[in-house]
Amino acid sequence: MSWLDDVDDDDEPEFDEADVRVRPNPKANRPRTKRRPAHSDAEIARVLGVDRGRYTVLVDEDTPTERTVLAARARELRKTPIVTGDRARVVGDASGDDGTLARIVGIEDRTSLLRRSADDTDQVERVIVANADQMLVVVAAADPEPRPRLVDRYLVAALDAGVRPLLVVTKTDLADPAEFLAHFDGLDLEVFTSGREEMPLERIGAALVGHSTVFVGHSGVGKSTLVNALVPDAKRATGHVNVVTGRGRHTSSSTVSLRYRGEGGNGWVIDTPGVRSFGLGHVDPANILRAFTDLDAIAEECPRGCTHLPDAPDCAIVEAVEDGRLGPGGAARLDSLQRLLETFAKKSQEPGA
């Protein structure tokens, strides 16, 4: 027999819910919800530049209350890339006064998106600019030497993005660009030439009016010099070419959107850092041939499924080059096309591609 048997059931304590002590949780005072504020009061602003997590945006563009505002990205957009040229929805203090900080809560649908990758096999794309409708490719006639295949890559990227390409050849006082330009015979490509004594600012400026134009080019070709001439208050840093390596020095370190003011109206100049390579890993291979408009027209005569590679049977482009119908630059253009197509053909054969 145990002493526990002596316990009287009538002496057992009674408890109810009021006796239970619950420690309050300050993080759970409000029920969670996935609904986000509608931000119906958001203002639409143009993203002019990005610097260390802060965005310079233009609010009330082309109105008497136009102003630049400093903004930060909202938490819900932490995985959304925001780039120069974007049309952003901004809330908070958008007065633009010193010490104020607005908040970007959304991005409007983009009309175009210019991208590049580290190389042709890299699937990770790097967004350069949004909503541009023109690309101005800047190349030097010498110092550094022009690179036709790099320009071909720019043209492919422009067409893939739905952007109209233009070409400027600088430093024509140092070398005749005729041989280089022959590489692009047959293309629907407007070309400007510029030298130390003659810079066609009026012609180039007329092409910029009413457009958002992204300037791209190899380091040291004079791109920032051209931007400063078109937009006097741009103050973009300029550099020089290394006499040993022949390479230009990176001077522009960020992408920035600048307003061009011309006699015929205004436009936007988007200056980008100089690059020495331009990967096309993100590009649809079907768009590569379309960038070579002269070759694309002949390709209509090719057999169905023609790869246009050197071993392609009855390729109309190869036959046109062999017959001399594409002129002295035809072989070089076909070589550029085939090099790009071969790269993408190898990529498609990789495991997991």
Side-chain angles (χ1 to χ4, degrees):
M1 186 173 180
S2 170
W3 62 271
L4 291 175
D5 296 335
D6 295 334
V7 177
D8 187 356
D9 292 340
D10 294 337
D11 295 333
E12 291 182 2
E14 296 182 359
F15 298 97
D16 60 22
E17 292 82 354
D19 297 313
V20 180
R21 299 183 62 186
V22 179
R23 181 173 295 176
N25 183 357
K27 295 184 179 180
N29 290 340
R30 292 182 297 178
R32 286 191 172 187
T33 176
K34 292 184 178 180
R35 297 179 62 184
R36 293 287 184 265
H39 298 300
S40 57
D41 60 337
E43 299 182 80
I44 305 301
R46 179 190 293 270
V47 178
L48 300 180
V50 184
D51 183 19
R52 292 170 292 184
R54 293 293 182 263
Y55 302 84
T56 301
V57 302
L58 186 67
V59 179
D60 289 346
E61 183 177 335
D62 295 328
T63 70
T65 58
E66 177 182 290
R67 61 201 180 278
T68 56
V69 174
L70 192 64
R73 181 203 304 255
R75 181 179 299 177
E76 57 265 29
L77 297 181
R78 62 185 180 276
K79 295 184 179 180
T80 302
I82 303 175
V83 298
T84 301
D86 265 327
R87 305 287 292 178
R89 292 192 289 122
V90 178
V91 299
D93 192 339
S95 64
D97 296 338
D98 291 341
T100 61
L101 186 66
R103 186 160 51 99
I104 297 177
V105 295
I107 299 297
E108 298 289 280
D109 291 340
R110 293 156 167 165
T111 57
S112 68
L113 196 62
L114 183 64
R115 304 162 292 170
R116 74 180 182 95
S117 57
D119 56 52
D120 291 337
T121 61
D122 188 0
Q123 294 297 315
V124 179
E125 64 184 38
R126 305 179 184 184
V127 180
I128 301 174
V129 66
N131 299 321
D133 61 341
Q134 291 189 150
M135 173 195 285
L136 184 71
V137 182
V138 185
V139 183
D143 192 30
E145 292 298 315
R147 298 168 55 188
R149 290 192 177 92
L150 178 59
V151 177
D152 285 339
R153 290 173 171 273
Y154 284 135
L155 299 180
V156 170
L159 185 61
D160 184 69
V163 174
R164 176 196 178 206
L166 308 168
L167 178 65
V168 173
V169 183
T170 63
K171 305 183 183 180
T172 54
D173 51 298
L174 300 181
D176 186 352
E179 182 178 352
F180 166 75
L181 290 176
H183 181 81
F184 306 101
D185 285 345
L187 290 183
D188 182 17
L189 181 65
E190 186 171 4
V191 178
F192 307 90
T193 57
S194 174
R196 183 181 297 274
E197 302 299 330
E198 184 179 355
M199 188 176 292
L201 297 181
E202 291 186 3
R203 284 188 58 220
I204 296 175
L208 302 180
V209 172
H211 296 282
S212 180
T213 308
V214 55
F215 283 44
V216 298
H218 189 286
S219 305
V221 297
K223 178 168 57 65
S224 294
T225 299
L226 179 60
V227 170
N228 288 337
L230 291 167
V231 186
D233 58 349
K235 300 179 181 178
R236 298 294 275 175
T238 58
H240 64 281
V241 176
N242 189 303
V243 296
V244 177
T245 65
R247 292 181 173 182
R249 180 182 178 183
H250 295 294
T251 52
S252 299
S253 59
S254 62
T255 300
V256 62
S257 189
L258 307 162
R259 178 179 270 132
Y260 169 76
R261 301 183 186 277
E263 293 183 1
N266 299 334
W268 287 97
V269 169
I270 305 175
D271 189 21
T272 63
V275 297
R276 298 191 180 109
S277 63
F278 201 94
L280 300 174
H282 62 282
V283 169
D284 181 353
N287 287 334
I288 295 178
L289 178 59
R290 292 176 53 206
F292 298 79
T293 51
D294 55 338
L295 305 185
D296 188 30
I298 298 176
E300 295 180 0
E301 305 172 12
C302 288
R304 183 185 299 273
C306 181
T307 63
H308 315 299
L309 296 176
D311 59 351
D314 301 322
C315 177
I317 301 176
V318 174
E319 293 177 354
V321 171
E322 292 175 348
D323 295 343
R325 283 183 280 151
L326 293 176
R333 291 193 54 69
L334 176 60
D335 181 62
S336 293
L337 170 66
Q338 291 177 338
R339 282 174 179 268
L340 289 172
L341 292 175
E342 284 176 344
T343 297
F344 280 84
K346 292 177 181 178
K347 184 178 69 172
S348 64
Q349 296 171 2
E350 293 177 353

